Amino acid sequence: IAHAAPSAPSSASLGPRNDDPSLGANCPRAWTRFAYSSYRDGNWEIYAATGNDDEVRRITWSFAGDLRPRIRPDGDWIAYDSDDGVDPGREILLISYWGGIPQVLVDTYSPPGASPAYSDFSPAWSNDGQQFAFVSTRDGNAEIYLFNLASGAQTRVTYNAAPDYDPTFNLKTGELYWARQVDDRNGIVIGLVNGREMALSAPIPQLERPQFDRDGGRLAFTADINNDGWGDFQVPEWDNTPLAQY
């Protein structure tokens, strides 16, 4: 299906009202749409579909590797990271759920000789859709940053020698969480609660991709709990005891 390319989004079109009942964790439209990366056409591209029909649409058409799409809570915009093949490193772009011309939002310049090149990746929307968290290596280490859609301001959140990655928001409380690598094998879940970092788990082998459920009461992630070399889906209790493994 062909759609006209959207104009570059402004702060007015992207900044929702705080009292808008259609946005956030209870937005019915956002929970019926999903996006993902696929290599089916010989390159990593973004695809999107709804949960109530069989239509799958290719969203991006580029020679770059487009990965880690996240749909904004209103369901209309997708943030993702890409390697455009021109500048070294990865950048974060925004595109309409219906496709069109993407807009570069975050692209850190890599000075000559930077190795590896600086990258910005893994966007994660806040529950009000007014900002997203992402990972950047611009300071020589993987750290968590925030990008404000209205102002374009970028704020560094973490200052830790260990790599921080896979940010996510609790869509009920609005709190920011992420994973932190604590040694060569183990990671922990960190939350920014009342402005302070709080560890939500003990060290867990190969911990990745923490995500909260819609109501914000359950946290899931992948990890190699049984040390077989494969990531398993984990749903722990708050005392860090796994409830289920799939």
Side-chain angles (χ1 to χ4, degrees):
I1 299 177
H3 295 272
S7 59
S10 65
S11 60
S13 64
L14 286 175
R17 305 190 314 272
N18 290 332
D19 61 347
D20 190 335
S22 68
L23 301 182
N26 297 317
C27 174
R29 181 170 53 187
W31 288 99
T32 61
R33 295 178 173 180
F34 63 93
Y36 60 95
S37 297
S38 175
Y39 200 76
R40 65 183 67 182
D41 293 312
N43 189 51
W44 285 109
E45 303 287 354
I46 307 299
Y47 294 77
T50 62
N52 53 13
D53 61 40
D54 295 326
E55 178 190 0
V56 175
R57 296 181 311 282
R58 181 172 169 177
I59 303 300
T60 60
W61 301 79
S62 70
F63 295 105
D66 301 326
L67 299 171
R68 290 175 282 264
R70 293 290 187 91
I71 297 181
R72 190 170 181 254
D74 63 3
D76 286 335
W77 298 92
I78 300 173
Y80 64 97
D81 62 76
S82 180
D83 175 6
D84 60 13
V86 178
D87 298 324
R90 301 191 66 80
E91 58 193 16
I92 296 176
L93 299 92
L94 186 73
I95 193 169
S96 167
Y97 175 82
W98 302 104
I101 300 174
Q103 176 186 1
V104 177
L105 294 184
V106 184
D107 185 8
T108 300
Y109 169 73
S110 292
S115 181
Y118 299 158
S119 286
D120 306 298
F121 55 97
S122 294
W125 291 103
S126 63
N127 58 336
D128 61 7
Q130 298 189 58
Q131 61 181 346
F132 59 78
F134 64 97
V135 181
S136 181
T137 61
R138 66 188 66 178
D139 294 300
N141 187 46
E143 303 286 358
I144 306 298
Y145 288 75
L146 290 172
F147 179 87
N148 184 286
L149 286 167
S151 66
Q154 300 179 38
T155 304
R156 183 173 174 177
V157 175
T158 60
Y159 292 81
N160 194 282
D164 295 303
Y165 55 97
D166 290 346
T168 188
F169 282 89
N170 184 316
L171 294 180
K172 186 70 172 182
T173 67
E175 295 166 339
L176 174 62
Y177 292 80
W178 62 91
R180 172 171 292 164
Q181 183 178 340
V182 294
D183 56 39
D184 290 341
R185 178 166 174 74
N186 296 287
I188 60 176
V189 179
I190 299 290
L192 192 63
V193 180
N194 296 323
R196 301 184 63 180
E197 289 189 9
M198 179 183 73
L200 201 63
S201 75
I204 298 173
Q206 305 298 329
L207 183 146
E208 294 180 331
R209 303 178 184 90
Q211 293 285 323
F212 282 91
D213 68 0
R214 177 175 177 175
D215 297 323
R218 278 286 177 87
L219 176 70
F221 51 82
T222 62
D224 184 16
I225 296 295
N226 54 9
N227 295 308
D228 64 354
W230 293 92
D232 305 305
F233 178 60
Q234 303 289 326
V235 184
E237 287 282 19
W238 292 114
D239 63 1
N240 306 320
T241 302
L243 269 185
Q245 178 173 304
Y246 303 93

